[in-house]
Amino acid sequence: MVLTQRSHVRRPTLEDVARQSGVSKSTVSRVINGEARVRAEVVDRVRRVISELGYVPNQGARQLVTHRTNAVAVVAAQPENRLFIDPFFDLLLRGIRRELALHGAQAVLLFLEEPDDYARVADYLGGGHVDGAILFSLRPGDRHDRLAEIIDRLGLPAVFGGRPLLRDGDPVRPGQAHVDGDNRGGARLAVQHLVALGRRRIATVTGPYDQENSAADRLAGYRDVLRDTGAPHLVQRADYTRQGGADAMAALLDRHPGLDAVFVASDLMASGALHTLRERGRRVPEDVAVVGFDDLTSIAETTDPPLTTVHQDIEEMGRLMARLLLAREDTPDGSPQRTSDGAPDGAPDGPSVIVPTRLVRRASA
């Protein structure tokens, strides 16, 4: 038997990069770690040499120096099946992952579904595995509150997806940052459109407004418009699922067979509502006009008829959450890093960001 000797290719080292760049090893380290104390032309030269040599930093050594893991926990207080079925969350996670990747970081997805999950997630966050956390759908309740308190106590930078829902009398935690769409303003746009079409018995299918602020804000926007017009309020609560929207539409038709329009607080629910209206023999938009919320094109452009809806840039919301978190990680107290003009460096201004909405007209209204 003949043994062939495996050829060994020496990996480029930090010293190789420094020598070819004409700078010190400490300067190369500062470039790799993204420190600001290096001239732009030197940064460009070092990065070019790193690319030419194929140098890969030793991540373990880098973490010892920077005390950074380059990982972010994305904590979802949602059932796992909903997270992967609902296109809203797919777009949101895509935005988060893409923004983190631009900065050499990765997302670690954690679920809060069973009671035991809360202690497990709290232990993981406290174990130094991540540099910060993005959290969805935390709402009032003992387990949610304890998790938020643990994050505060750890001093772990955190950003919330959606405005945190507080119980009466609960204080807003100092520096608590969140990113959300203009839910109330978007709902007003939807209902104002229906009123302008001459509709007078306008119902709404709302989300669980005792659990999520987005649902409460969309219901408030609906009521803002109808309070001014004197039209009746026809409200049915559902659960942000297609079946929930179908069942809610059936309940509204049973109670109010003369309704002539409905604002549905998500496109997924609106697709279910359209199915029920078709089953009941109601023409859309001739008999009942329908407006949704989110502008999930995979739904809104494929319903029958195509759905008029409120657009919010969901992927951009995910990017903003990641950008805001990364800015908070760069300061010892978790507040956004600020530039000379007072704005966070590379992040939205202030601890909270509201993303604007607009109406997209299609055939359903």
Side-chain angles (χ1 to χ4, degrees):
M1 182 173 61
V2 178
L3 297 177
T4 59
Q5 184 175 4
R6 181 181 298 175
S7 61
H8 177 72
V9 178
R10 188 177 73 87
R11 294 178 58 184
T13 65
L14 189 74
E15 289 82 357
D16 295 332
V17 176
R19 183 168 52 253
Q20 189 157 326
S21 302
V23 297
S24 66
K25 290 190 297 181
S26 60
T27 297
V28 175
S29 293
R30 285 197 292 271
V31 171
I32 292 171
N33 294 325
E35 297 181 24
R37 296 175 295 160
V38 186
R39 296 193 311 277
E41 61 269 22
V42 175
V43 171
D44 291 341
R45 185 164 72 249
V46 170
R47 286 178 175 172
R48 186 169 59 252
V49 171
I50 286 172
S51 178
E52 290 171 353
L53 294 180
Y55 173 70
V56 178
N58 183 315
Q59 291 298 321
R62 186 177 175 185
Q63 288 176 20
L64 287 173
V65 174
T66 64
H67 305 289
R68 298 282 288 272
T69 66
N70 290 326
V72 168
V74 179
V75 183
Q78 292 286 348
E80 185 174 350
N81 60 344
R82 180 186 167 191
L83 200 69
F84 291 110
I85 290 174
D86 191 335
F88 177 93
F89 290 108
D90 180 60
L91 287 170
L92 203 62
L93 290 172
R94 184 187 306 172
I96 291 170
R97 289 195 303 267
R98 286 181 174 177
E99 186 65 28
L100 291 177
L102 288 176
H103 298 272
Q106 63 180 349
V108 180
L109 188 57
L110 306 172
F111 292 99
L112 294 174
E113 189 169 3
E114 303 297 333
D116 292 344
D117 292 341
Y118 293 83
R120 175 181 57 81
V121 169
D123 287 344
Y124 185 84
L125 295 179
H129 305 292
V130 294
D131 300 320
I134 296 172
L135 303 101
F136 300 132
S137 306
L138 288 191
R139 52 189 181 267
D142 290 341
R143 289 190 295 267
H144 293 81
D145 292 343
R146 281 202 298 272
L147 182 60
E149 288 167 2
I150 287 169
I151 290 171
D152 283 347
R153 190 166 64 247
L154 292 170
L156 190 69
V159 172
F160 289 80
R163 181 164 59 89
L165 186 63
L166 303 174
R167 293 175 295 200
D168 290 342
D170 282 356
V172 177
R173 292 181 173 87
Q176 190 174 74
H178 71 268
V179 175
D180 205 356
D182 184 8
N183 294 296
R184 189 165 185 164
R188 284 197 294 265
L189 289 174
V191 183
Q192 285 166 350
H193 175 64
L194 293 170
V195 170
L197 293 176
R199 307 302 168 124
R200 291 295 175 262
R201 293 184 60 80
I202 303 172
T204 187
V205 176
T206 182
Y209 46 82
D210 60 342
Q211 297 180 21
E212 298 193 21
N213 258 324
S214 62
D217 289 344
R218 292 173 197 182
L219 178 59
Y222 162 83
R223 286 175 166 158
D224 287 344
V225 178
L226 296 189
R227 186 180 302 118
D228 296 336
T229 65
H233 294 182
L234 313 175
V235 179
Q236 181 65 41
R237 184 163 60 172
D239 61 357
Y240 281 137
T241 67
R242 186 177 188 276
Q243 188 59 51
D247 294 342
M249 191 72 251
L252 283 168
L253 289 171
D254 289 342
R255 293 202 313 271
H256 308 286
L259 65 86
D260 60 6
V262 58
F263 163 54
V264 189
S266 80
D267 289 351
L268 195 59
M269 290 196 299
S271 68
L274 287 169
H275 178 75
T276 295
L277 288 167
R278 188 162 53 249
E279 280 192 332
R280 295 288 186 95
R282 304 299 175 93
R283 297 170 302 163
V284 178
E286 293 86 354
D287 300 327
V288 180
V290 180
V291 178
F293 200 110
D294 287 330
D295 194 25
L296 300 170
T297 55
S298 62
I299 296 174
E301 293 181 350
T302 59
T303 55
D304 182 20
L307 183 65
T308 294
T309 186
V310 176
H311 173 86
Q312 57 180 347
D313 193 337
I314 299 165
E315 185 171 337
E316 178 63 13
M317 288 166 64
R319 285 184 176 276
L320 288 169
M321 290 175 201
R323 207 173 300 156
L324 189 56
L325 180 69
L326 292 168
R328 297 172 74 83
E329 288 178 5
D330 287 339
T331 58
D333 61 355
S335 61
Q337 177 69 48
R338 300 201 169 260
T339 59
S340 58
D341 62 359
D345 186 9
D349 190 12
S352 301
V353 181
I354 303 300
V355 176
T357 53
R358 58 183 171 85
L359 187 73
V360 177
R361 294 189 62 176
R362 296 190 180 93
S364 69

